[in-house]
Amino acid sequence: MKLLVVGAGLFGATVARERACKGDKVDVIEKRDHLAGNAYTEEIEGIQVHRYGAHIFHTSNKAVWKYVNQFAEFNRFTNEVIANYQGEIYNLPFNMNTFNKMWGVITPAEAASKIAEQRLAMSGKQPQNLEEQAISLVGTDIYNKLIKAYTAKQWGRDPKDLPAFIIRRLPVRLTFDNNYFDDLYQGIPIGGYTQIVEKMLDQPNITVQLNTDFLQNKAEYLKRYDQIVYTGMIDEFFDYQLGTLEYRSLRFETELLNMANFQGNAVVNYTDAETPFTRIIEHKHFEFGKSNPGKTVITREYPVNWSRGDEPYYPVNNSENNHLFKKYREFASINMPQVAFGGRLGLYRYYNMDQVLAAALQFLDGDFFAS
Ligand code: FAD
Ligand code: UDP
């Protein structure tokens, strides 16, 4: 059986590897000039640089953690994000350190009562959007200083027009715990993410072609392969014939600086409206600053509107887009049964890396092409 995998990100690489291990011949094509999709890391001055923004691996899925650890050793990095609001520094996610700095409260009971006071307007109401959800979780002060402008910059729209689930990604805790994630396992692969995909694809029955865009030769590929796994945008695949899904794009501005330590933390979020970027990451802190003592690499992340041809970093999962995506899925299953869509773009879901790996392993368990 000959399979074509389009896209050498984590979804495509997992499917390619597992099918190759079962004896299938797999061809992988990737339109970029490197492997690993958005998780790609490259070494600059001895520092592993996350080219497409901070990538922290975290999961509570033991099978996924075991799976990914076959390909790399992970360090003990814990993401502890700092928020800078007009020069005031707060800890994220929202926890007792944040509440203490914001209100001077000392005990969990004091923090809980402050939040309860600030969410009175929401009492008894089911949150309908991100703003209502945020206020009902942490109250108005935190919403106004740490969420409102950051979210508006990130998504290019008012938080009232965004789905509530986005803010539920962040934990709210009445403990002094600055860990951004609640997951059981967390870390950064020592030596970066790219090696993971390199190792996955290093199989005698896998071929890999970079700088190769499926859509440039779509008809030819469809003729040549009877099974295709496609991890690019589903709407682009169909030439947007049912409509255009919305995405959010980013511009990354990376700088090599002649100093040991720029900001003292891997991730600093800028939560005010005036700063045009959302965050600065300082890559060496993912590796505990053990690398180059005289240099550091930082990246500023600017959210930008997406239009056709731009990099689609985030799906915008509101109900209209989700509805359109469903139409594409139905259309695909009828008109393109030999193509399975997967990954963050193919499934149009705001997936983390562990969820992408889990989805790929689940995809391999079900016999998609037999149905
Ligand atoms: P991708 O990595 O996007 O791979 C798809 C590949 O397909 C790409 O390389 C693309 O070039 C290729 N492709 C597309 N169309 C074609 C075509 N027509 N022909 C050939 N090739 C094509 N996850 C976490 O777990 N932790 C984090 O901290 C985290 N931080 C993130 C920060 C940012 C800024 C972003 C954008 C994402 C972050 N993620 C994080 C999510 C993570 O990047 C994704 O979950 C994961 O990379 C998705 O893998 P994928 O294989 O589905 O897609
Ligand atoms: N968020 C915020 N302020 C912050 C960090 C996050 O308001 O300082 C909100 C914002 O709406 C963001 C969401 O929380 O889109 C999820 O944050 P996360 O860090 O998970 O976003 P990602 O890493 O996916 O960009």
Side-chain angles (χ1 to χ4, degrees), residues 36 55 73 90 115 154 165 179 200 224 250 315 323:
H55 275 72
E73 190 185 343
Y90 293 91
I115 294 172
Q154 169 84 347
F165 85 89
N179 187 345
M200 286 172 125
R224 218 183 313 149
L250 296 167
H323 180 69

Side-chain angles (χ1 to χ4, degrees), residues 6-12 29-32 36-39 52-58 212-215 230-233 250 252 279 301 313-314 343-345 351-354 356:
V6 182
L10 287 169
F11 192 97
I29 58 170
E30 166 57 58
K31 68 177 175 187
R32 292 178 180 168
N38 288 341
Y52 303 98
H55 275 72
I56 299 117
F57 200 96
H58 56 98
T212 307
D213 188 339
F214 175 89
L215 297 173
Y230 191 83
T231 69
M233 297 151 67
L250 296 167
F252 297 103
R279 48 192 171 190
E301 195 173 309
Y313 289 110
Y314 293 97
R344 216 186 206 207
L345 298 173
Y351 269 157
N352 288 325
M353 291 180 283
D354 64 319
V356 162

Side-chain angles (χ1 to χ4, degrees), residues 2-75:
K2 198 156 180 198
L3 170 71
L4 176 69
V5 170
V6 182
L10 287 169
F11 192 97
T14 305
V15 171
R17 177 192 163 82
E18 295 308 314
R19 289 288 294 263
C21 287
K22 287 209 169 104
D24 291 338
K25 204 173 162 339
V26 186
D27 294 337
V28 178
I29 58 170
E30 166 57 58
K31 68 177 175 187
R32 292 178 180 168
D33 62 2
H34 60 75
L35 300 175
N38 288 341
Y40 174 69
T41 47
E42 61 190 327
E43 194 176 307
I44 300 178
E45 298 279 349
I47 300 164
Q48 286 295 326
V49 171
H50 300 211
R51 172 154 342 150
Y52 303 98
H55 275 72
I56 299 117
F57 200 96
H58 56 98
T59 190
S60 291
N61 184 327
K62 200 168 182 174
V64 163
W65 183 240
K66 223 173 129 192
Y67 186 79
V68 74
N69 272 269
Q70 295 175 85
F71 309 109
E73 190 185 343
F74 281 72
N75 70 17

Side-chain angles (χ1 to χ4, degrees), residues 54 79 81-83 92 94 130 143 146-152 154-155 162 165-170 180-181 269-271 278-279 301 314 344 350 352:
N79 197 24
V81 176
I82 294 294
L92 290 176
F94 314 113
L130 197 153
Y143 174 67
L146 302 183
I147 299 175
K148 191 175 181 181
Y150 183 97
T151 298
Q154 169 84 347
W155 296 99
L162 286 165
F165 85 89
I166 293 178
I167 198 69
R168 290 200 300 267
R169 286 169 61 88
L170 303 190
Y180 204 68
F181 304 116
N269 289 0
Y270 286 78
T271 60
T278 45
R279 48 192 171 190
E301 195 173 309
Y314 293 97
R344 216 186 206 207
Y350 191 7
N352 288 325

Side-chain angles (χ1 to χ4, degrees), residues 212-284:
T212 307
D213 188 339
F214 175 89
L215 297 173
Q216 301 291 316
N217 273 305
K218 182 175 169 185
E220 179 60 31
Y221 288 120
L222 287 172
K223 226 186 301 156
R224 218 183 313 149
Y225 295 89
D226 42 22
Q227 289 191 359
I228 297 173
V229 171
Y230 191 83
T231 69
M233 297 151 67
I234 191 168
D235 53 345
E236 187 186 32
F237 181 98
F238 289 111
D239 205 16
Y240 305 100
Q241 58 186 286
L242 303 181
T244 306
L245 289 164
E246 280 179 286
Y247 301 87
R248 193 76 183 136
S249 197
L250 296 167
R251 181 166 65 80
F252 297 103
E253 196 180 270
T254 295
E255 253 188 279
L256 172 65
L257 303 175
N258 292 318
M259 61 169 77
N261 188 0
F262 173 75
Q263 63 181 15
N265 203 44
V267 184
V268 178
N269 289 0
Y270 286 78
T271 60
D272 60 283
E274 295 73 32
T275 309
F277 45 86
T278 45
R279 48 192 171 190
I280 301 184
I281 60 175
E282 186 170 11
H283 301 266
K284 62 165 36 173

